[in-house]
Amino acid sequence: MLDEPRLDLPYNPETSKPVLLVPKRWLRFRPWLDFGEYVAEYFPKEKAATADDSRVAVLTFNRQNYGSVQRYVAAKERTAEDCRNDPLFSQIPIASAKASLKVIQSLPRGQKDENDQKYERELVRLLASAFYPQLDFAKAHARTESGALIRDLVFYNNRSHEFLAELYDKYDCRQIVMEMKNVNELQGDHINQLNRYMTDQFGKFGVILTRRMPLPKVYRNTIDLWAGQRRCILILDDVDIELIATLYESKQRDPIDVLKKKYVEFIRKCPS
């Protein structure tokens, strides 16, 4: 008897879970208010086990806690544009952004088991979507023509936000360079590395993303760079990344405002 033909299907190499590929337009025929999503994302966790077995439990809860339903509907209305096609870029869904944040927060620090690469990958996915459309055309691992320098993440500054226009005017910031350091402690060498990347092509503004804020003696290096060369390097940690993800989900403010907040805090510490 001949063996039946087999076909290899796509799967996630990290989790080994299967991947279903469908045209994005098909999602428009899927109910936007979805029972499964409501139970998974908005239903109280302690009641979720019961809800999986019985829709009656969900209906009973909803009658007594109608505010939960209202919050779910309001959240879906805020994200109703997610199925619109952008010919150049598509943001990741809010659920995917939350998943990326969980991965980032759970990753051990250091390079073991490629944790540094996982950190960079999830940050790129999250930031490229959260900062869009104010920052666009994100490019991960951008190399110079010689290949001597590799920048972790580069955004094009289209100056569509007043803060980004200020960066362009003050620091000649045509593109924003971001370096990602999944380390226990940020060192002065990390700051010097980003400083070397900030050429005339990119301007005198850059961002370091790391797990926690550095020691005062290391942070002082960024103040000295501004005082001596008028170069601005901001440092964002896990707390800032969580705030970016929260704003991306809630739509209360633009996530780019987190970058602006860090800039205001930095400038207030610089000598006049």
Side-chain angles (χ1 to χ4, degrees):
M1 183 177 178
L2 297 176
D3 293 337
E4 294 183 0
R6 299 176 62 87
L7 179 65
D8 292 331
L9 297 176
Y11 66 94
N12 187 325
E14 297 180 3
T15 63
S16 296
K17 292 183 178 180
V19 175
L20 179 63
L21 303 176
V22 298
K24 191 172 183 179
R25 62 182 182 273
W26 287 14
L27 298 179
R28 296 189 179 95
F29 297 98
R30 178 178 176 269
W32 192 241
L33 299 178
D34 182 72
F35 175 83
E37 181 188 41
Y38 172 71
V39 172
E41 301 290 339
Y42 296 87
F43 201 71
K45 300 301 181 184
E46 64 274 11
K47 298 181 181 294
T50 304
D52 289 339
D53 298 330
S54 173
R55 292 177 178 251
V56 175
V58 178
L59 294 174
T60 302
F61 174 84
N62 289 347
R63 291 191 186 101
Q64 300 171 354
N65 302 272
Y66 186 64
S68 296
V69 180
Q70 288 181 312
R71 286 191 293 272
Y72 171 64
V73 173
K76 297 301 289 185
E77 288 176 344
R78 287 196 300 269
T79 59
E81 298 296 312
D82 281 358
C83 280
R84 293 186 67 181
N85 289 319
D86 184 324
L88 298 180
F89 178 75
S90 294
Q91 293 173 286
I92 61 174
I94 288 176
S96 297
K98 293 165 66 176
S100 290
L101 177 63
K102 289 180 181 179
V103 172
I104 292 169
Q105 293 175 330
S106 64
L107 278 174
R109 298 168 189 176
Q111 299 180 353
K112 186 177 179 181
D113 298 326
E114 299 183 343
N115 289 323
D116 56 335
Q117 297 180 30
K118 297 174 184 176
Y119 177 70
E120 292 177 11
R121 181 172 60 250
E122 298 301 331
L123 268 180
V124 168
R125 294 180 72 243
L126 176 58
L127 296 180
S129 289
F131 288 157
Y132 175 85
Q134 287 84 14
L135 290 176
D136 205 353
F137 302 108
K139 174 65 176 177
H141 300 113
R143 292 176 177 266
T144 57
E145 185 175 351
S146 65
L149 300 177
I150 304 176
R151 303 168 179 88
D152 288 344
L153 180 61
V154 177
F155 284 101
Y156 175 71
N157 181 7
N158 58 23
R159 292 174 283 171
S160 62
H161 190 281
E162 47 85 18
F163 168 60
L164 298 177
E166 180 179 349
L167 295 183
Y168 184 92
D169 294 337
K170 286 189 175 181
Y171 304 100
D172 199 22
C173 182
R174 295 175 174 83
Q175 301 191 63
I176 295 180
V177 182
M178 296 189 178
E179 282 293 297
M180 306 172 190
K181 302 298 179 185
N182 183 39
V183 294
N184 287 315
E185 292 288 350
L186 198 69
Q187 304 295 327
D189 289 343
H190 298 138
I191 295 173
N192 294 333
Q193 178 187 16
L194 177 56
N195 185 38
R196 291 194 297 271
Y197 292 168
M198 291 156 55
T199 62
D200 292 340
Q201 175 186 359
F202 294 94
K204 298 179 179 180
F205 176 87
V207 179
I208 294 179
L209 300 139
T210 189
R211 304 307 302 274
R212 63 178 180 178
M213 292 301 293
L215 297 173
K217 63 179 181 180
V218 177
Y219 185 82
R220 182 70 198 177
N221 292 345
T222 62
I223 303 295
D224 293 340
L225 271 175
W226 188 91
Q229 305 177 36
R230 286 302 187 265
R231 288 172 171 251
C232 179
I233 293 180
L234 302 184
I235 301 174
L236 276 65
D237 62 3
D238 279 3
V239 176
D240 300 309
I241 298 303
E242 183 176 4
L243 182 55
I244 288 172
T246 300
L247 293 181
Y248 180 56
E249 176 186 2
S250 67
K251 309 295 183 184
Q252 292 179 330
R253 298 185 66 157
D254 289 329
I256 197 73
D257 285 341
V258 176
L259 208 58
K260 181 179 179 180
K261 171 179 175 292
K262 299 295 291 190
Y263 175 73
V264 171
E265 294 172 350
F266 172 80
I267 289 299
R268 288 173 179 171
K269 294 178 182 179
C270 293
S272 56

